[in-house]
Amino acid sequence: MLPWLVSLVGFSILSAATAAVNAAGLSHLKAAPHHLRTRSSVPADPPVKDGVEFPSYETVYTFDQLIDHTNPSLGTFKQRYYFTYEYYEQGGPIILSTPGEEAMDGLALYVTNQTIAGIIAQATKGAVVFLEHRYFGLSSPYPDLSEESLRFHTLEQAIDDFVYFAKTAVLPMPGGDCVGADTTPWLLFGGSYPGALVNWIMNAHPGVFWAGYSSSGVVETISDYWSYYEPIRQNMPQNCSADIERVIEYVDQTFASGSSSDINALKARFGLSNVTHLDDAAYALSLPFREWQERQPAAGPGDNFTRFCDALEIKDGIAASSDGWGLEHAIRAFGRYMRTVYLPYTCGDDSDIEACVGTYNRTLPRWTDTTVGNWVRSWQWLLCNDLGFWMGGAPSSLPTLVSRLITPAYFNRQCSNYFPKAFPTDTSADPKAQDVNAKYGGWNVTAPRVFFANGKRDPWREATVSSDSLSLASTELNPIAVSDGYHCNDMLVANAIDPTIARVQELAIQYFTQWVNDFQSRSASSA
């Protein structure tokens, strides 16, 4: 979430996902479906059109957002946004998107034509708004993130934010007071959790947004989300998956029925001797897989996930066959990787391992940091109350990359660490994922003109409309375009180096151009 850039001998510039782990400890980071972690610089010069210089892309604007949409008397808070109208012409659309579960700082790129929102604005003569989600970044109603302050941090309130903005915002451009959603085609864009918001908002409030773009939209909330690892297992090198499956099976057997000396020896192999609880030790072994989510089409030998698998599968300059090297070599190589690369970077020296990995000490600062801008706490509140998305081991009938000691109960227990008033016992948290699906539709696509863009290799694929659990057909009103990409790769124009992503972006331009034309034709005929 922050632009950490840390290099390590034998390890490339680490992704922000791993760096975030370093910043706050391993085990509390439940890989949010973040999609915008890679910060890219915006053009140094302000945009210019027809000789007129526009405000910098990084200009921060604010909107007076209602604290509680059910009780406006509570007042408003300042909700931040980026905005550009360099391509706008009268009658064009307003494209609204959000960074979702992260601050907007450093993400002004997402109003430019280096992104899908920007190129569609350019094609349709529209303006682009990038609105910070409530309780993330500095867009918070209260000066802290205490449980009392978080009482208005709900999906319902967030959804109403976008509707209220589209209906009432006066945008900072000529005629910006005359482009509300009642007269102008508003298009809602988002990737990952914001991609889910696109579908949820358009299902719950039909008629406000004319069309939507949902990239890797996790529309179906799933508490026990073990299937996060399935696209990884299916698409990673087979030798690597085969060996990791062997290692995890051995770890689970040893932790379940091994002697104390066997268990201690195994923990030592991975540099986890100081970790008291076996589930914490088992969870630490899943963290290298979070690198997969950060992959881009240009991923190659320097990619962190590739280096992880190479550490296991390259021996004396020779790669293992598709069946891997077997348990003996794999456990030695996996252990060496964790001891010498992953844990030293993320946790520091051995004395920090328990504090870094452990989840049973409730006095650690990571559970109690209520500072505004602490995205982990804000995101955890939504996970514990509504979304779940707990990523653990697969059912016993299936192969697994992750220990089966990691169950939803492992994550639910930590909700009590963060929010002891809301969840006073280790078993009191119970995310209402099915209630969210019932209220907002989940996989049941009902809103017209939602364009779904998904990636075959996306670990969040199984929560999207391209899940293997579905056989949902693409239609003219709800196109489903699937690339060979990972998570939200289609949102960046640069990723069109992958021809399958280029095709998704081309289709999107075609559909949104037509949909905007349809709105304009309808408006003209009713005038």
Side-chain angles (χ1 to χ4, degrees), residues 10 36 135 258 316 358 457 483:
L36 306 180
Y135 287 93
D316 299 328
R457 295 180 283 188
S483 73

Side-chain angles (χ1 to χ4, degrees), residues 21 27 121 134 137 154 163 172 257 298 302 371 378 396 412 430 445 522:
V21 173
S27 53
R134 67 166 51 209
T154 66
V163 173
S257 58
T371 306
S378 293
S396 58
N412 284 335
D430 182 22
V445 177
R522 188 192 67 166

Side-chain angles (χ1 to χ4, degrees), residues 390-467:
W390 305 139
M391 296 170 289
S396 58
S397 59
L398 297 173
T400 187
L401 298 174
V402 175
S403 171
R404 293 188 176 90
L405 290 178
I406 309 307
T407 67
Y410 177 77
F411 302 107
N412 284 335
R413 174 178 55 77
Q414 294 174 58
C415 293
S416 184
N417 294 359
Y418 281 105
F419 313 111
K421 294 178 182 177
F423 309 108
T425 68
D426 288 350
T427 59
S428 56
D430 182 22
K432 304 300 186 293
Q434 290 309 310
D435 291 348
V436 172
N437 293 331
K439 186 170 185 177
Y440 298 116
W443 282 323
N444 183 25
V445 177
T446 59
R449 296 179 298 278
V450 178
F451 185 100
F452 295 97
N454 296 314
K456 290 180 181 178
R457 295 180 283 188
D458 182 2
W460 293 97
R461 186 192 68 202
E462 293 307 291
T464 76
V465 296
S466 297
S467 169

